[in-house]
mmCIF file of all heavy atoms in Angstrom:
data_model
loop_
_atom_site.group_PDB
_atom_site.id
_atom_site.type_symbol
_atom_site.label_atom_id
_atom_site.label_comp_id
_atom_site.label_asym_id
_atom_site.label_seq_id
_atom_site.Cartn_x
_atom_site.Cartn_y
_atom_site.Cartn_z
ATOM 1 N N THR A 1 52.626 14.636 56.007
ATOM 2 C CA THR A 1 52.442 16.033 55.603
ATOM 3 C C THR A 1 52.890 17.005 56.687
ATOM 4 O O THR A 1 53.016 18.200 56.428
ATOM 5 C CB THR A 1 50.964 16.316 55.265
ATOM 6 O OG1 THR A 1 50.163 16.060 56.423
ATOM 7 C CG2 THR A 1 50.481 15.445 54.136
ATOM 8 N N LYS A 2 53.151 16.517 57.895
ATOM 9 C CA LYS A 2 53.606 17.404 58.966
ATOM 10 C C LYS A 2 54.986 17.988 58.690
ATOM 11 O O LYS A 2 55.395 18.919 59.367
ATOM 12 C CB LYS A 2 53.646 16.646 60.296
ATOM 13 C CG LYS A 2 52.310 16.565 60.995
ATOM 14 C CD LYS A 2 52.524 16.110 62.406
ATOM 15 C CE LYS A 2 51.205 15.761 63.056
ATOM 16 N NZ LYS A 2 51.415 15.145 64.361
ATOM 17 N N LEU A 3 55.694 17.447 57.713
ATOM 18 C CA LEU A 3 56.987 18.025 57.357
ATOM 19 C C LEU A 3 56.851 19.526 57.092
ATOM 20 O O LEU A 3 57.723 20.320 57.459
ATOM 21 C CB LEU A 3 57.547 17.330 56.111
ATOM 22 C CG LEU A 3 58.532 16.182 56.342
ATOM 23 C CD1 LEU A 3 58.879 15.522 55.038
ATOM 24 C CD2 LEU A 3 59.780 16.674 57.041
ATOM 25 N N ILE A 4 55.755 19.888 56.471
ATOM 26 C CA ILE A 4 55.550 21.303 56.143
ATOM 27 C C ILE A 4 55.399 22.110 57.424
ATOM 28 O O ILE A 4 56.002 23.173 57.590
ATOM 29 C CB ILE A 4 54.317 21.448 55.230
ATOM 30 C CG1 ILE A 4 54.562 20.694 53.912
ATOM 31 C CG2 ILE A 4 54.009 22.911 54.963
ATOM 32 C CD1 ILE A 4 53.363 20.611 53.003
ATOM 33 N N GLU A 5 54.598 21.591 58.378
ATOM 34 C CA GLU A 5 54.406 22.297 59.642
ATOM 35 C C GLU A 5 55.693 22.331 60.466
ATOM 36 O O GLU A 5 55.988 23.317 61.146
ATOM 37 C CB GLU A 5 53.293 21.645 60.460
ATOM 38 C CG GLU A 5 51.891 22.040 60.035
ATOM 39 C CD GLU A 5 51.437 21.311 58.789
ATOM 40 O OE1 GLU A 5 52.092 20.323 58.400
ATOM 41 O OE2 GLU A 5 50.421 21.716 58.190
ATOM 42 N N ILE A 6 56.468 21.252 60.397
ATOM 43 C CA ILE A 6 57.727 21.194 61.141
ATOM 44 C C ILE A 6 58.676 22.287 60.654
ATOM 45 O O ILE A 6 59.335 22.967 61.453
ATOM 46 C CB ILE A 6 58.371 19.800 61.006
ATOM 47 C CG1 ILE A 6 57.563 18.771 61.801
ATOM 48 C CG2 ILE A 6 59.826 19.812 61.482
ATOM 49 C CD1 ILE A 6 57.957 17.330 61.527
ATOM 50 N N VAL A 7 58.735 22.464 59.337
ATOM 51 C CA VAL A 7 59.578 23.525 58.772
ATOM 52 C C VAL A 7 59.092 24.889 59.256
ATOM 53 O O VAL A 7 59.884 25.756 59.632
ATOM 54 C CB VAL A 7 59.568 23.450 57.229
ATOM 55 C CG1 VAL A 7 60.210 24.700 56.629
ATOM 56 C CG2 VAL A 7 60.308 22.204 56.756
ATOM 57 N N GLU A 8 57.777 25.081 59.281
ATOM 58 C CA GLU A 8 57.230 26.360 59.726
ATOM 59 C C GLU A 8 57.549 26.624 61.198
ATOM 60 O O GLU A 8 57.869 27.749 61.581
ATOM 61 C CB GLU A 8 55.718 26.386 59.496
ATOM 62 C CG GLU A 8 55.336 26.465 58.019
ATOM 63 C CD GLU A 8 53.838 26.551 57.819
ATOM 64 O OE1 GLU A 8 53.092 26.407 58.807
ATOM 65 O OE2 GLU A 8 53.410 26.760 56.675
ATOM 66 N N ILE A 9 57.459 25.585 62.034
ATOM 67 C CA ILE A 9 57.775 25.750 63.458
ATOM 68 C C ILE A 9 59.256 26.077 63.635
ATOM 69 O O ILE A 9 59.634 26.915 64.454
ATOM 70 C CB ILE A 9 57.388 24.478 64.247
ATOM 71 C CG1 ILE A 9 55.861 24.360 64.322
ATOM 72 C CG2 ILE A 9 57.972 24.512 65.664
ATOM 73 C CD1 ILE A 9 55.370 23.056 64.917
ATOM 74 N N GLY A 10 60.123 25.409 62.859
ATOM 75 C CA GLY A 10 61.552 25.707 62.926
ATOM 76 C C GLY A 10 61.844 27.139 62.523
ATOM 77 O O GLY A 10 62.637 27.836 63.169
ATOM 78 N N LYS A 11 61.197 27.596 61.448
ATOM 79 C CA LYS A 11 61.389 28.978 61.017
ATOM 80 C C LYS A 11 60.831 29.944 62.054
ATOM 81 O O LYS A 11 61.394 31.020 62.284
ATOM 82 C CB LYS A 11 60.718 29.197 59.653
ATOM 83 C CG LYS A 11 61.486 28.572 58.491
ATOM 84 C CD LYS A 11 60.943 28.985 57.162
ATOM 85 C CE LYS A 11 61.800 28.440 56.030
ATOM 86 N NZ LYS A 11 63.162 28.996 56.019
ATOM 87 N N GLN A 12 59.728 29.551 62.682
ATOM 88 C CA GLN A 12 59.143 30.408 63.711
ATOM 89 C C GLN A 12 60.095 30.564 64.890
ATOM 90 O O GLN A 12 60.218 31.644 65.461
ATOM 91 C CB GLN A 12 57.810 29.808 64.174
ATOM 92 C CG GLN A 12 57.023 30.719 65.090
ATOM 93 C CD GLN A 12 55.732 30.088 65.556
ATOM 94 O OE1 GLN A 12 55.685 28.902 65.869
ATOM 95 N NE2 GLN A 12 54.671 30.867 65.605
ATOM 96 N N LEU A 13 60.803 29.472 65.251
ATOM 97 C CA LEU A 13 61.787 29.545 66.335
ATOM 98 C C LEU A 13 62.894 30.535 65.993
ATOM 99 O O LEU A 13 63.256 31.398 66.804
ATOM 100 C CB LEU A 13 62.375 28.157 66.592
ATOM 101 C CG LEU A 13 63.607 28.095 67.504
ATOM 102 C CD1 LEU A 13 63.250 28.534 68.907
ATOM 103 C CD2 LEU A 13 64.208 26.702 67.516
ATOM 104 N N LEU A 14 63.451 30.431 64.784
ATOM 105 C CA LEU A 14 64.531 31.326 64.376
ATOM 106 C C LEU A 14 64.044 32.774 64.286
ATOM 107 O O LEU A 14 64.744 33.712 64.681
ATOM 108 C CB LEU A 14 65.090 30.880 63.026
ATOM 109 C CG LEU A 14 65.779 29.507 63.007
ATOM 110 C CD1 LEU A 14 66.194 29.144 61.597
ATOM 111 C CD2 LEU A 14 66.980 29.480 63.929
ATOM 112 N N MET A 15 62.820 32.945 63.754
ATOM 113 C CA MET A 15 62.267 34.296 63.646
ATOM 114 C C MET A 15 62.040 34.916 65.016
ATOM 115 O O MET A 15 62.301 36.109 65.225
ATOM 116 C CB MET A 15 60.934 34.249 62.893
ATOM 117 C CG MET A 15 61.059 34.149 61.390
ATOM 118 S SD MET A 15 59.427 34.011 60.634
ATOM 119 C CE MET A 15 58.593 35.395 61.384
ATOM 120 N N THR A 16 61.526 34.115 65.957
ATOM 121 C CA THR A 16 61.250 34.626 67.301
ATOM 122 C C THR A 16 62.543 35.080 67.966
ATOM 123 O O THR A 16 62.606 36.163 68.567
ATOM 124 C CB THR A 16 60.568 33.545 68.157
ATOM 125 O OG1 THR A 16 59.366 33.119 67.508
ATOM 126 C CG2 THR A 16 60.235 34.068 69.544
ATOM 127 N N ARG A 17 63.575 34.257 67.848
ATOM 128 C CA ARG A 17 64.859 34.620 68.440
ATOM 129 C C ARG A 17 65.415 35.888 67.792
ATOM 130 O O ARG A 17 65.899 36.796 68.474
ATOM 131 C CB ARG A 17 65.843 33.459 68.288
ATOM 132 C CG ARG A 17 67.160 33.674 69.034
ATOM 133 C CD ARG A 17 68.091 32.519 68.782
ATOM 134 N NE ARG A 17 67.554 31.295 69.332
ATOM 135 C CZ ARG A 17 67.825 30.069 68.859
ATOM 136 N NH1 ARG A 17 68.620 29.937 67.834
ATOM 137 N NH2 ARG A 17 67.320 29.011 69.429
ATOM 138 N N GLY A 18 65.344 35.959 66.460
ATOM 139 C CA GLY A 18 65.855 37.136 65.759
ATOM 140 C C GLY A 18 65.055 38.388 66.068
ATOM 141 O O GLY A 18 65.624 39.470 66.269
ATOM 142 N N ALA A 19 63.726 38.242 66.127
ATOM 143 C CA ALA A 19 62.868 39.400 66.388
ATOM 144 C C ALA A 19 63.105 39.956 67.789
ATOM 145 O O ALA A 19 63.210 41.179 67.973
ATOM 146 C CB ALA A 19 61.406 39.001 66.209
ATOM 147 N N LEU A 20 63.186 39.067 68.775
ATOM 148 C CA LEU A 20 63.377 39.537 70.146
ATOM 149 C C LEU A 20 64.796 40.060 70.370
ATOM 150 O O LEU A 20 65.006 40.942 71.203
ATOM 151 C CB LEU A 20 63.044 38.418 71.134
ATOM 152 C CG LEU A 20 61.553 38.056 71.218
ATOM 153 C CD1 LEU A 20 61.309 36.983 72.262
ATOM 154 C CD2 LEU A 20 60.704 39.280 71.527
ATOM 155 N N THR A 21 65.773 39.522 69.638
ATOM 156 C CA THR A 21 67.128 40.067 69.715
ATOM 157 C C THR A 21 67.138 41.497 69.156
ATOM 158 O O THR A 21 67.737 42.404 69.744
ATOM 159 C CB THR A 21 68.120 39.192 68.936
ATOM 160 O OG1 THR A 21 68.116 37.871 69.482
ATOM 161 C CG2 THR A 21 69.529 39.748 69.018
ATOM 162 N N THR A 22 66.456 41.668 68.017
ATOM 163 C CA THR A 22 66.347 43.006 67.426
ATOM 164 C C THR A 22 65.662 43.975 68.382
ATOM 165 O O THR A 22 66.119 45.102 68.598
ATOM 166 C CB THR A 22 65.550 42.941 66.103
ATOM 167 O OG1 THR A 22 66.193 42.038 65.205
ATOM 168 C CG2 THR A 22 65.451 44.318 65.451
ATOM 169 N N PHE A 23 64.558 43.520 68.980
ATOM 170 C CA PHE A 23 63.821 44.366 69.923
ATOM 171 C C PHE A 23 64.686 44.706 71.129
ATOM 172 O O PHE A 23 64.706 45.851 71.589
ATOM 173 C CB PHE A 23 62.551 43.640 70.375
ATOM 174 C CG PHE A 23 61.671 44.456 71.287
ATOM 175 C CD1 PHE A 23 60.674 45.256 70.769
ATOM 176 C CD2 PHE A 23 61.855 44.430 72.662
ATOM 177 C CE1 PHE A 23 59.867 46.017 71.605
ATOM 178 C CE2 PHE A 23 61.056 45.187 73.501
ATOM 179 C CZ PHE A 23 60.060 45.984 72.972
ATOM 180 N N SER A 24 65.412 43.720 71.654
ATOM 181 C CA SER A 24 66.229 43.930 72.850
ATOM 182 C C SER A 24 67.304 44.987 72.609
ATOM 183 O O SER A 24 67.495 45.901 73.415
ATOM 184 C CB SER A 24 66.879 42.618 73.278
ATOM 185 O OG SER A 24 67.738 42.805 74.387
ATOM 186 N N ILE A 25 68.005 44.854 71.492
ATOM 187 C CA ILE A 25 69.087 45.801 71.202
ATOM 188 C C ILE A 25 68.516 47.190 70.905
ATOM 189 O O ILE A 25 69.061 48.215 71.331
ATOM 190 C CB ILE A 25 69.946 45.286 70.036
ATOM 191 C CG1 ILE A 25 70.677 43.991 70.465
ATOM 192 C CG2 ILE A 25 70.941 46.338 69.585
ATOM 193 C CD1 ILE A 25 71.428 43.299 69.362
ATOM 194 N N ALA A 26 67.364 47.214 70.188
ATOM 195 C CA ALA A 26 66.760 48.499 69.843
ATOM 196 C C ALA A 26 66.243 49.221 71.081
ATOM 197 O O ALA A 26 66.388 50.445 71.203
ATOM 198 C CB ALA A 26 65.621 48.293 68.840
ATOM 199 N N ASN A 27 65.648 48.470 72.034
ATOM 200 C CA ASN A 27 65.091 49.193 73.188
ATOM 201 C C ASN A 27 66.181 49.720 74.116
ATOM 202 O O ASN A 27 65.923 50.594 74.941
ATOM 203 C CB ASN A 27 64.034 48.350 73.930
ATOM 204 C CG ASN A 27 64.600 47.288 74.841
ATOM 205 O OD1 ASN A 27 65.590 47.482 75.540
ATOM 206 N ND2 ASN A 27 63.945 46.139 74.866
ATOM 207 N N ASP A 28 67.404 49.186 73.984
ATOM 208 C CA ASP A 28 68.514 49.745 74.758
ATOM 209 C C ASP A 28 68.792 51.196 74.351
ATOM 210 O O ASP A 28 69.215 52.010 75.178
ATOM 211 C CB ASP A 28 69.784 48.905 74.557
ATOM 212 C CG ASP A 28 69.716 47.585 75.306
ATOM 213 O OD1 ASP A 28 68.897 47.483 76.241
ATOM 214 O OD2 ASP A 28 70.462 46.663 74.941
ATOM 215 N N ILE A 29 68.533 51.502 73.061
ATOM 216 C CA ILE A 29 68.792 52.860 72.574
ATOM 217 C C ILE A 29 67.964 53.872 73.356
ATOM 218 O O ILE A 29 68.459 54.923 73.790
ATOM 219 C CB ILE A 29 68.482 52.948 71.066
ATOM 220 C CG1 ILE A 29 69.440 52.033 70.282
ATOM 221 C CG2 ILE A 29 68.580 54.388 70.569
ATOM 222 C CD1 ILE A 29 69.112 51.918 68.809
ATOM 223 N N ALA A 30 66.677 53.553 73.551
ATOM 224 C CA ALA A 30 65.808 54.462 74.298
ATOM 225 C C ALA A 30 66.262 54.592 75.744
ATOM 226 O O ALA A 30 66.199 55.685 76.332
ATOM 227 C CB ALA A 30 64.369 53.960 74.234
ATOM 228 N N LYS A 31 66.716 53.466 76.317
ATOM 229 C CA LYS A 31 67.172 53.514 77.712
ATOM 230 C C LYS A 31 68.427 54.377 77.848
ATOM 231 O O LYS A 31 68.628 55.033 78.873
ATOM 232 C CB LYS A 31 67.404 52.096 78.236
ATOM 233 C CG LYS A 31 66.110 51.304 78.451
ATOM 234 C CD LYS A 31 66.342 49.927 79.029
ATOM 235 C CE LYS A 31 66.918 48.969 78.021
ATOM 236 N NZ LYS A 31 67.026 47.588 78.518
ATOM 237 N N TYR A 32 69.266 54.386 76.814
ATOM 238 C CA TYR A 32 70.449 55.247 76.863
ATOM 239 C C TYR A 32 70.031 56.718 76.959
ATOM 240 O O TYR A 32 70.610 57.512 77.709
ATOM 241 C CB TYR A 32 71.316 55.060 75.616
ATOM 242 C CG TYR A 32 71.807 53.655 75.374
ATOM 243 C CD1 TYR A 32 72.240 53.266 74.110
ATOM 244 C CD2 TYR A 32 71.836 52.709 76.403
ATOM 245 C CE1 TYR A 32 72.690 51.981 73.870
ATOM 246 C CE2 TYR A 32 72.283 51.420 76.171
ATOM 247 C CZ TYR A 32 72.705 51.056 74.904
ATOM 248 O OH TYR A 32 73.144 49.774 74.671
ATOM 249 N N PHE A 33 69.005 57.088 76.161
ATOM 250 C CA PHE A 33 68.528 58.474 76.177
ATOM 251 C C PHE A 33 67.920 58.835 77.530
ATOM 252 O O PHE A 33 67.862 60.005 77.898
ATOM 253 C CB PHE A 33 67.484 58.685 75.070
ATOM 254 C CG PHE A 33 68.084 59.023 73.746
ATOM 255 C CD1 PHE A 33 68.320 58.030 72.805
ATOM 256 C CD2 PHE A 33 68.424 60.326 73.422
ATOM 257 C CE1 PHE A 33 68.883 58.334 71.568
ATOM 258 C CE2 PHE A 33 68.989 60.632 72.197
ATOM 259 C CZ PHE A 33 69.226 59.638 71.266
ATOM 260 N N ALA A 34 67.449 57.828 78.264
ATOM 261 C CA ALA A 34 66.844 58.100 79.567
ATOM 262 C C ALA A 34 67.898 58.255 80.649
ATOM 263 O O ALA A 34 67.848 59.179 81.462
ATOM 264 C CB ALA A 34 65.872 56.980 79.939
ATOM 265 N N ILE A 35 68.882 57.358 80.672
ATOM 266 C CA ILE A 35 69.761 57.274 81.837
ATOM 267 C C ILE A 35 71.065 58.052 81.681
ATOM 268 O O ILE A 35 71.566 58.628 82.647
ATOM 269 C CB ILE A 35 70.031 55.797 82.186
ATOM 270 C CG1 ILE A 35 70.480 55.675 83.641
ATOM 271 C CG2 ILE A 35 71.011 55.157 81.243
ATOM 272 C CD1 ILE A 35 70.500 54.246 84.146
ATOM 273 N N ILE A 36 71.637 58.091 80.482
ATOM 274 C CA ILE A 36 72.939 58.752 80.314
ATOM 275 C C ILE A 36 72.857 60.265 80.549
ATOM 276 O O ILE A 36 73.671 60.827 81.293
ATOM 277 C CB ILE A 36 73.552 58.414 78.939
ATOM 278 C CG1 ILE A 36 73.920 56.927 78.899
ATOM 279 C CG2 ILE A 36 74.786 59.278 78.658
ATOM 280 C CD1 ILE A 36 74.485 56.451 77.582
ATOM 281 N N PRO A 37 71.863 60.971 79.942
ATOM 282 C CA PRO A 37 71.781 62.418 80.259
ATOM 283 C C PRO A 37 71.556 62.662 81.746
ATOM 284 O O PRO A 37 72.102 63.619 82.314
ATOM 285 C CB PRO A 37 70.573 62.875 79.436
ATOM 286 C CG PRO A 37 70.455 61.887 78.339
ATOM 287 C CD PRO A 37 70.869 60.575 78.929
ATOM 288 N N ALA A 38 70.762 61.788 82.395
ATOM 289 C CA ALA A 38 70.486 61.960 83.823
ATOM 290 C C ALA A 38 71.747 61.811 84.658
ATOM 291 O O ALA A 38 71.948 62.517 85.660
ATOM 292 C CB ALA A 38 69.432 60.950 84.262
ATOM 293 N N MET A 39 72.637 60.901 84.250
ATOM 294 C CA MET A 39 73.863 60.654 85.017
ATOM 295 C C MET A 39 74.835 61.820 84.939
ATOM 296 O O MET A 39 75.447 62.220 85.931
ATOM 297 C CB MET A 39 74.559 59.386 84.496
ATOM 298 C CG MET A 39 73.926 58.087 84.970
ATOM 299 S SD MET A 39 74.880 56.694 84.368
ATOM 300 C CE MET A 39 76.463 57.012 85.103
ATOM 301 N N PHE A 40 74.967 62.382 83.745
ATOM 302 C CA PHE A 40 76.042 63.360 83.525
ATOM 303 C C PHE A 40 75.542 64.811 83.476
ATOM 304 O O PHE A 40 76.314 65.719 83.195
ATOM 305 C CB PHE A 40 76.776 63.035 82.218
ATOM 306 C CG PHE A 40 77.532 61.743 82.264
ATOM 307 C CD1 PHE A 40 76.992 60.592 81.707
ATOM 308 C CD2 PHE A 40 78.774 61.675 82.868
ATOM 309 C CE1 PHE A 40 77.689 59.405 81.746
ATOM 310 C CE2 PHE A 40 79.477 60.480 82.909
ATOM 311 C CZ PHE A 40 78.932 59.335 82.355
ATOM 312 N N LEU A 41 74.234 64.994 83.745
ATOM 313 C CA LEU A 41 73.672 66.342 83.627
ATOM 314 C C LEU A 41 74.343 67.322 84.589
ATOM 315 O O LEU A 41 74.557 68.496 84.258
ATOM 316 C CB LEU A 41 72.158 66.286 83.899
ATOM 317 C CG LEU A 41 71.350 67.515 83.470
ATOM 318 C CD1 LEU A 41 71.512 67.764 81.972
ATOM 319 C CD2 LEU A 41 69.868 67.323 83.812
#
């Protein structure tokens, strides 16, 4: 019956990678607003 849990763990791995990739790219947007105006002001 662990087949079911194995599938869930595999999906959790893919979800974790996708979620953190989304977070990483999204948080760069805020950093752009912080550093780019400061550089060229």
Side-chain angles (χ1 to χ4, degrees):
T1 60
K2 277 194 191 172
L3 264 174
I4 298 173
E5 280 78 14
I6 289 169
V7 169
E8 290 182 353
I9 289 172
K11 286 189 175 295
Q12 189 181 40
L13 169 65
L14 295 176
M15 281 177 51
T16 303
R17 187 183 295 153
L20 290 182
T21 300
T22 302
F23 183 91
S24 177
I25 294 173
N27 79 40
D28 286 341
I29 296 173
K31 289 183 286 186
Y32 302 160
F33 274 95
I35 201 168
I36 293 178
M39 282 183 60
F40 293 99
L41 195 59

